[in-house]
Structure formats: C-alpha cells, structure tokens
Amino acid sequence: DRVLTRCEQVLPLEGCTELTVEAGRPDTINREKLEVLRAHGVGRVSINPQTLEDHVLEAIGRKHSSGDIQTAYDLARKVGFDCINMDLIAGLPQDSCEGFRRSLEGVLEMEPENVTIHTLALKKGSTLMERGGSLPSGAEVAEMLDFSREILIRRGYRPYYLYRQKYMSGALENVGWAKPGTENLYNIIMMEELQTVVSVGGGGVTKLVDYAAGRIVRLPNPKYPHDYLTSLEKVLAQKEELIRFYGSELP
C-alpha cells in the first residue's frame, strides 16, 4: 500500500462533507469537465451568468449569450448535479431594474438550489473605475436588491451568508440564498473565518486559522498560469506552513 503523506492523513478527500467547484462562465463548461467532476464526488457547482441580458453581457466583455447559460445549466443537470449555484450581479453597465428583474426571474425558472446576488464592486485600476460607464445609480441598485429579496423569499430561498466589499454600488452587499438544506458550507466558513481552508490552485488563498489564539495566516498562490507553474516548487513548499502552524497537533 502507498504510504500516505502527513497532509493526506489530515485532509483525506474521502472524508469531505462537501465538494464544490466553481464551474464558472458558461463558455468554459462542457460535458467532459462536468463528468470528471461528478466522477470524483463533486456534488455542487456554480454556473455564473451574472445577467441574462445579452446587451449587458456584451458590455462587460463576456463571450457567451443567455442561451449558452441555459445550455450549460441543462447539461449539468443531465450529468447528475443536484445542487447548482447561480450568480447574478446588480449594477452592471447598461443594466436596468427591468433587466435585472428579467434576469432573476429567468434564473429562478431554472430552479437552482442556490442563488447569489452580488452588488457590483468597482476594482482599482479597472476600466470602469478609471473611465466610468453607463452604470445604474445607487438607488436603482438598491431597488434591484429589494426585488431580489422579495422574490427569493417568496420562492422558498433563505439568506445564509452576507458580506461587503470596498467600492460597492450604493454601499450595499452580496447575499447568498439557498433552499433549506442546500447551504454551501465553504461560503459560511470563509465568511466567518472559523476554520482553516487549504487552497491548491492558481489564484487561491490558503487561510490558516487558530481561533483560540485569534491568529490567521494567509498564503496566496500566484494568480496567472505561467507564474503558478514557474513557481510551483515554492507553492508546494509553502504548504509546509500548514504543519508548522499546527505543530504537534497533527498526527
């Protein structure tokens, strides 16, 4: 039998309560990827339209259409996923209250188990931050979020996590909604910062949490593929910090 490494003894994937994957934009999803995920025990995926308004998708530089979103969703169901999350963003360029309403109603017709309503957050250095754009007002974004709250509660969803970021439209928030019993544990853990999270991919951040001591250590992975691959040895060595952080508590 193969000898397990110390890290594998601590983090056996077979014992995971939940395996979730950010499947991402519909134009990056295909049957082969979804079948590989299901074959390895992934039970929840996120398929993120952001909007179902085609002119808004074009304005934010997305290469997919609203039809592609439905196709990706249907494919995930056929492959066997029974827990799907879908993200929408309130406040996108060239969107409107009516457009956001159509997008959310369209998503709810698909009946995903989880829906996340994000508020647009402008990033420093982004084109929108530097040049501006045809953005809905803070009052319009607040109306979008009010509508989302009303219809999601009416359709049987409940809010289970909330967080805010800098430079968000209307100083509002992001809210995760779920049908009872389908709440995403990872989102709760990340927001509450109560448990260690180990990242093994590009752009991810390992978060080591010592709740008793009030200490958190963050270990970021390089974001871009070239940087990640050329510094892979450093990335792997960085995982030794997991052992140093917990010391003798590990088996």
Side-chain angles (χ1 to χ4, degrees):
D1 292 340
R2 183 171 61 89
V3 177
L4 294 178
T5 66
R6 198 174 190 187
C7 193
E8 285 175 316
Q9 290 172 351
V10 177
L11 302 167
L13 290 181
E14 293 84 356
C16 282
T17 301
E18 173 184 274
L19 288 176
T20 182
V21 170
E22 185 81 18
R25 301 188 311 271
D27 54 319
T28 68
I29 297 171
N30 59 43
R31 176 178 286 275
E32 182 181 8
K33 290 180 181 179
L34 292 173
E35 288 179 344
V36 168
L37 294 176
R38 283 298 298 141
H40 287 80
V42 174
R44 176 185 184 273
V45 292
S46 290
I47 298 173
N48 300 327
Q50 318 303 3
T51 175
L52 295 184
E53 298 284 285
D54 284 325
H55 72 283
V56 179
L57 288 169
E58 183 178 356
I60 62 176
R62 295 302 169 101
K63 304 303 181 184
H64 65 267
S65 68
S66 56
D68 295 329
I69 296 163
Q70 181 72 62
T71 299
Y73 180 90
D74 291 342
L75 181 59
R77 289 300 196 199
K78 288 177 183 177
V79 169
F81 286 98
D82 59 6
C83 190
I84 296 177
N85 173 75
M86 302 188 82
D87 287 4
L88 290 178
I89 300 179
L92 289 172
Q94 299 187 27
D95 205 358
S96 63
C97 292
E98 293 75 18
F100 180 82
R101 180 187 295 263
R102 285 192 294 268
S103 292
L104 182 50
E105 288 175 340
V107 162
L108 293 179
E109 286 180 8
M110 300 183 211
E111 299 186 337
E113 286 68 31
N114 300 170
V115 177
T116 306
I117 304 297
H118 293 273
T119 299
L120 179 67
L122 296 175
K123 306 298 185 182
K124 286 186 176 181
S126 67
T127 300
L128 280 175
M129 176 67 87
E130 294 177 350
R131 302 180 187 175
S134 181
L135 297 175
S137 67
E140 289 175 305
V141 176
E143 184 177 336
M144 295 176 188
L145 264 63
D146 287 344
F147 170 73
S148 71
R149 180 173 62 253
E150 293 168 4
I151 191 171
L152 285 162
I153 290 175
R154 194 163 65 244
R155 297 291 185 90
Y157 294 84
R158 296 292 179 266
Y160 73 100
Y161 81 100
L162 175 152
Y163 70 100
R164 290 186 169 91
Q165 298 168 270
K166 293 181 179 179
Y167 312 116
M168 295 183 76
S169 297
L172 294 163
E173 63 276 327
N174 304 319
V175 182
W177 296 80
K179 290 290 183 70
T182 68
E183 296 83 0
N184 180 223
L185 302 181
Y186 173 78
N187 284 331
I188 296 171
I189 289 168
M190 291 300 288
M191 293 304 107
E192 297 296 331
E193 295 192 321
L194 295 178
Q195 183 171 321
T196 287
V197 175
V198 179
S199 170
V200 294
V205 179
T206 289
K207 186 189 299 183
L208 306 179
V209 178
D210 183 345
Y211 183 67
R215 184 167 67 110
I216 297 176
V217 174
R218 290 176 172 83
L219 304 171
N221 291 342
K223 177 179 179 180
Y224 298 105
H226 178 269
D227 296 337
Y228 187 87
L229 293 173
T230 55
S231 58
L232 188 57
E233 186 174 336
K234 179 181 177 181
V235 171
L236 294 175
Q238 192 182 58
K239 302 310 176 192
E240 292 294 323
E241 179 64 24
L242 178 65
I243 295 174
R244 292 192 292 271
F245 186 85
Y246 286 103
S248 61
E249 294 182 13
L250 291 179

